[in-house]
Amino acid sequence: MSPKEYRSKARIYVDILATIMRAGGKTGPTRILYGANLSHDRLMRHLSYLIEVGLVEEEKTEDKTLYKLTDKGREFLREFTRIQKFAEAFGITL
Amino acid sequence: MHKLKKAQRLFYCVEALSSVIGLVLLMELVSSVVSFMIGYYAFKAYKTYSSKGLFLLHSGFTVLGISLALRVVTSFYIIALRVADVPSQALRNTIGFAGLVFMLTQLFAYSLFVLAYALQTKAVEKTSLIGAAFPLLYLSFFNPYLELIALVLLGYVSAQTLINLLLKKNLDSFLVFLGFSLMLLSHLCFLFMIVNELLLLLGQTLQMIGFLSLLAMLARVSKSG
């Protein structure tokens, strides 16, 4: 994807979830921020939506906040992988 | 004795033709079901991802499925009525009109596929009395001029899927390319059906294999993840 290309909300959610997945299913905001290429404000806004719909869980400890992928989040990523393969087979860019 | 032999031959020919038409309709029914399945999966994907391309794929395969199913239902109806023996002019006109509707629906579906790829390109900037009985009715479902348009549309779609295959070099892309290419070949057979009626059977077989190829891709994709 070129830098000028529009990234849909769904794509951003997938990038966030995939970053958490790559980090072992649980990680802090800084890693997600770099992995999903988002500003802090935008990341927080998207994370609160993902928590609201049950794809991500927030784990607060004394000194840090971690974001954990839920089973629903894992299933969403699996479904996305299938959709991506389907679209790619036809040559449709998501 | 001679008349009896002739009647027997006539009976066997009618039986054989009925089987051929039955087989053709069965293959078309399978193609229709597969088309609906792919359309449904594309809709599921569209609901998750809201991509225009996926919506056009969904619409295209659903319209194609409806077109194939309608043709199967109408053909069954015509056979059930046993109108093939002496079709009246009014009935011939109705069948002709139905054939035109099916063909236009099919062309509309192919146009949706073309649109899906066109949008994509823009985005990336890149002969006897017996022989005439059933086949004559079936032949009226095909219009050579519209078949030519179908060939052009499917030619474009096949070329796009070939480009995709060359870029991705994976089995799923190959199955999609094979699916559309076989659909293209089937229309080529339908176009020359006037020369040899057996091309109808060949075309229908190619079309069904094409849809089965798309079904194989769908099964592979559904298992992954």
Side-chain angles (χ1 to χ4, degrees):
Chain A
M1 185 186 289
S2 72
K4 279 184 183 175
E5 237 176 275
Y6 171 75
R7 195 159 54 138
S8 70
K9 266 189 183 174
R11 180 85 235 184
I12 295 170
Y13 297 148
V14 167
D15 288 344
I16 293 171
L17 297 174
T19 306
I20 303 174
M21 181 82 152
R22 278 198 300 272
K26 194 198 281 187
T27 192
T30 313
R31 193 159 178 176
I32 308 173
L33 197 134
Y34 285 113
N37 194 24
L38 289 165
S39 68
H40 187 266
D41 286 353
R42 286 188 72 197
L43 173 68
M44 287 305 149
R45 208 169 55 234
H46 291 310
L47 273 174
S48 39
Y49 174 75
L50 291 173
I51 292 166
E52 194 185 309
V53 294
L55 298 179
V56 169
E57 270 174 8
E58 195 178 42
E59 269 187 18
K60 280 191 177 172
T61 55
E62 281 178 12
D63 56 337
K64 58 184 176 183
T65 306
L66 294 175
Y67 295 94
K68 191 182 155 189
L69 203 62
T70 63
D71 288 342
K72 198 176 163 185
R74 282 174 205 277
E75 185 47 44
F76 180 85
L77 265 183
R78 270 196 290 271
E79 185 59 30
F80 175 78
T81 310
R82 287 184 207 118
I83 293 170
Q84 201 172 29
K85 280 188 175 177
F86 177 80
E88 269 180 18
F90 280 97
I92 303 285
T93 311
L94 291 176
Chain B
M1 191 68 181
H2 180 70
K3 272 187 179 176
L4 190 73
K5 270 189 177 175
K6 206 174 169 183
Q8 259 182 338
R9 248 176 53 201
L10 198 96
F11 175 77
Y12 289 134
C13 285
V14 169
E15 283 289 298
L17 275 169
S18 301
S19 309
V20 168
I21 293 296
L23 191 65
V24 163
L25 289 180
L26 182 72
M27 286 195 281
E28 196 138 72
L29 189 67
V30 171
S31 303
S32 170
V33 171
V34 175
S35 191
F36 278 124
M37 284 169 77
I38 298 166
Y40 173 71
Y41 196 86
F43 178 67
K44 250 177 74 179
Y46 167 72
K47 260 175 61 183
T48 312
Y49 216 85
S50 307
S51 150
K52 258 186 206 168
L54 290 173
F55 181 73
L56 288 167
L57 274 186
H58 151 67
S59 309
F61 278 108
T62 307
V63 171
L64 194 57
I66 291 169
S67 164
L68 294 169
L70 275 176
R71 194 149 64 190
V72 171
V73 170
T74 313
S75 301
F76 267 125
Y77 183 68
I78 291 165
I79 291 166
L81 280 179
R82 298 183 64 81
V83 291
D85 300 335
V86 194
S88 68
Q89 190 55 45
L91 193 76
R92 274 169 188 267
N93 291 343
T94 312
I95 294 165
F97 178 71
L100 191 70
V101 170
F102 302 145
M103 199 61 219
L104 288 175
T105 321
Q106 216 162 11
L107 287 180
F108 179 58
Y110 296 151
S111 306
L112 289 169
F113 296 144
V114 167
L115 192 62
Y117 286 106
L119 282 176
Q120 195 73 7
T121 312
K122 202 179 163 190
V124 294
E125 208 53 57
K126 328 174 216 184
T127 309
S128 64
L129 182 70
I130 300 155
F134 289 115
L136 187 76
L137 275 171
Y138 211 80
L139 270 170
S140 58
F141 279 117
F142 298 96
N143 180 319
Y145 300 107
L146 295 178
E147 288 295 342
L148 274 173
I149 301 172
L151 279 172
V152 172
L153 293 174
L154 276 172
Y156 175 80
V157 175
S158 301
Q160 288 294 329
T161 54
L162 176 65
I163 292 167
N164 183 51
L165 170 67
L166 294 172
L167 286 170
K168 307 272 165 56
K169 293 186 179 85
N170 62 33
L171 186 58
D172 294 331
S173 306
F174 172 73
L175 289 170
V176 171
F177 165 69
L178 185 69
F180 281 114
S181 301
L182 288 175
M183 277 189 229
L184 174 73
L185 282 177
S186 75
H187 279 280
L188 204 62
C189 289
F190 297 150
L191 183 68
F192 291 106
M193 204 167 58
I194 203 85
V195 180
N196 188 338
E197 285 151 3
L198 277 177
L199 283 173
L200 168 69
L201 191 65
L202 179 66
Q204 216 68 47
T205 310
L206 290 173
Q207 181 181 265
M208 194 186 67
I209 298 170
F211 275 104
L212 290 177
S213 169
L214 293 176
L215 183 68
M217 178 278 299
L218 190 65
R220 275 176 53 84
V221 165
S222 302
K223 277 185 188 170
S224 68

